[in-house]
Amino acid sequence: MTIEKQSLRSGPYKDIFAQAVKVGNILYISGQVGIDDSGNPGADITEQTKLAYVNIANVLAKFDGEMSNVVDETMFVTDIKEVMANTESVFGARAMAYGGIPEVCQTLLQVSALVHPKLKLEIKCIAHL
């Protein structure tokens, strides 16, 4: 059985992986990191959080979706102690991205490293469109 998929491939790694894959009305968004349009990482965990959510929102928009469509997210961080020390600003940035406290399942995991040494987090999502 063949599954009909629609994918979004862009950015410097477009030949390696898709930023998102839509199957039916479910959108699987690959991990988005806290970098700006020029490829520069945000200065700190809060700025990187804001940028990652901007990048998620941009991917959703390509499929006529918005943050309210997200039902599940996984946040990978390189230092969970840093996140917990900045809970108000990190989760405040998350709430701002969703327009309030989101009704979203979330998993928070610490990893040893991300693709760029200055990156502190990566956020992967599943959305229902």
Side-chain angles (χ1 to χ4, degrees):
M1 174 170 103
T2 302
I3 297 174
E4 189 173 322
K5 299 182 221 175
Q6 179 184 359
S7 65
L8 171 65
R9 291 185 173 273
S10 63
Y13 301 107
K14 65 184 175 191
D15 294 332
I16 300 171
F17 67 91
Q19 280 192 296
V21 175
K22 182 180 175 195
V23 179
N25 56 358
I26 303 297
L27 182 64
Y28 301 89
I29 302 173
S30 295
Q32 299 297 303
V33 294
I35 58 171
D36 63 20
D37 291 337
S38 301
N40 299 311
D44 59 25
I45 189 75
T46 302
E47 187 176 338
Q48 287 190 23
T49 302
K50 290 176 184 176
L51 288 167
Y53 282 114
V54 165
N55 294 333
I56 291 166
N58 289 339
V59 171
L60 283 161
K62 300 279 187 186
F63 292 89
D64 297 322
E66 52 193 41
M67 292 301 293
S68 63
N69 294 111
V70 175
V71 296
D72 184 65
E73 68 177 33
T74 303
M75 184 182 290
F76 302 92
V77 299
T78 57
D79 186 351
I80 205 158
K81 289 179 183 175
E82 181 179 15
V83 173
M84 299 316 288
N86 294 283
T87 301
E88 191 171 308
S89 63
V90 169
F91 290 99
R94 179 179 185 250
M96 185 179 297
Y98 282 101
I101 297 173
E103 292 187 22
V104 175
C105 295
Q106 187 195 45
T107 303
L108 177 62
L109 299 169
Q110 181 170 310
V111 296
S112 62
L114 295 169
V115 69
H116 186 287
K118 290 186 179 178
L119 288 174
K120 297 174 177 285
L121 85 156
E122 181 171 323
I123 305 169
K124 172 184 170 117
C125 297
I126 299 171
H128 183 266
L129 301 174

